[in-house]
Amino acid sequence: MTQEVPIDALPVPVAVIGPDQTVTAMSPAMQAILSPKLVGRHYITVLRQPVLLDAIEATRADRQPRNATYLGRDGGRDVTWEVAIRASDRRLLLVFEDQTAAQAVGQLRRDFVANVSHELRTPLTALQGFIETLGGAARDDAAARDRFLGIMARETTRMTQLVDDLLSLSRVEDSERQRPRDPVALGALVAGTLEDLGPVIADTGLGVTFADDSGGAQVPGDANQLRQVVVNLVQNALKYGAGGGSVDLVLEAPAPIRKLRGQGLALQVRDHGQGIAAHHLPRLTERFYRIDTHRDRSLGGTGLGLAIVKHILNRHRGRLLIESTLGEGTVFTVLLPLET
């Protein structure tokens, strides 16, 4: 004789509706979602949501399995549950499965595709218009031709940069779970990167200073990715710190860092530009997030630089802190553990 598994032993949210349409039992996980006090009450007063109630009523009528959605709260967050409704004898069994993460990933993918499409559509539309003009009205206008070709070159460069950043972000995400182990002298890496950026820095007219107090300390890391972090942060500071006179980098001495729960290095990249309003700061590392869309595009930004930095630091078990004061500038602080 087959013995039923006690519902109290089930690790997933499960509720049973009896022949009298009351909730006769709930697993502990189900009680956490609703309340143990609801056992014995009519299922309509327990579940309340029309979509789920309609599905339950239909299964009661024809005994056919169905799935429905239940929207709830769990630990202070909105949760979407997929509810499998199954008939067993004269009872109904409801099994809840949390679909919140899967829906979030799906939404992230849709947003990503929409953003990429939008970012590419604007320059492609401009290029198409210029090509048509050069093939028609401006065919023999040398001045217009030169001006249009210059704009086309800039738009092509921006699209190329966007594709490069997308590929870079994809590579970083693919390797994010693999902890880098090679020793990297961070001070030497920053100094070498600034030397490589010399022509870019010279074109901005800003001064860049670097104070290295690390004493040659090494962090376990991927040198190429850490170089990319420095490049992105310095280029970001050069773009948005215009008018501030300088960009200052400071690599502090090894010290205990509470946010890393151990010894680490802190690298600060400070600009003295306009600063960023506080409400923007939590979203700066989101893909394609821009403070001023028109200005950012005119400066050549793709909206992916800080997202790349965040994912690289996640791989290195590091942190990125952002502080800014309007009118005074912005400080990006990279925290990297000496051991992982």
Side-chain angles (χ1 to χ4, degrees), residues 101-163:
Q103 289 202 350
V105 170
Q107 185 61 50
L108 182 64
R109 185 181 297 112
R110 289 189 292 273
D111 290 345
F112 182 71
V113 171
N115 280 319
V116 171
S117 300
H118 177 72
E119 292 293 328
L120 290 174
R121 181 179 296 278
T122 301
L124 285 173
T125 300
L127 289 174
Q128 184 178 16
F130 291 140
I131 291 170
E132 291 174 354
T133 303
L134 289 172
R139 181 189 298 272
D140 301 318
D141 188 335
R145 184 171 61 247
D146 290 344
R147 181 166 63 88
F148 289 159
L149 287 174
I151 297 173
M152 292 167 71
R154 288 197 297 274
E155 293 293 350
T156 303
T157 299
R158 193 166 75 82
M159 283 193 292
T160 301
Q161 183 61 55
L162 175 61
V163 172

Side-chain angles (χ1 to χ4, degrees), residues 195-239:
E195 185 175 349
D196 294 340
L197 288 172
V200 176
I201 295 171
D203 287 343
T204 67
L206 295 176
V208 176
T209 67
F210 176 42
D212 181 7
D213 297 323
S214 67
Q218 297 179 328
V219 297
D222 181 319
N224 288 328
Q225 288 190 347
L226 291 177
R227 187 174 293 109
Q228 191 171 10
V229 167
V230 177
V231 168
N232 285 1
L233 291 181
V234 170
Q235 289 184 333
N236 190 76
L238 292 172
K239 289 176 184 176

Side-chain angles (χ1 to χ4, degrees), residues 243-277:
S246 68
V247 172
D248 305 316
L249 285 76
V250 176
L251 181 58
E252 298 177 354
I257 298 177
R258 182 174 58 84
K259 290 185 179 295
L260 298 179
R261 299 182 180 180
Q263 291 283 115
L265 290 177
L267 170 66
Q268 291 188 348
V269 180
R270 179 188 298 271
D271 69 59
H272 303 275
Q274 296 178 357
I276 302 168

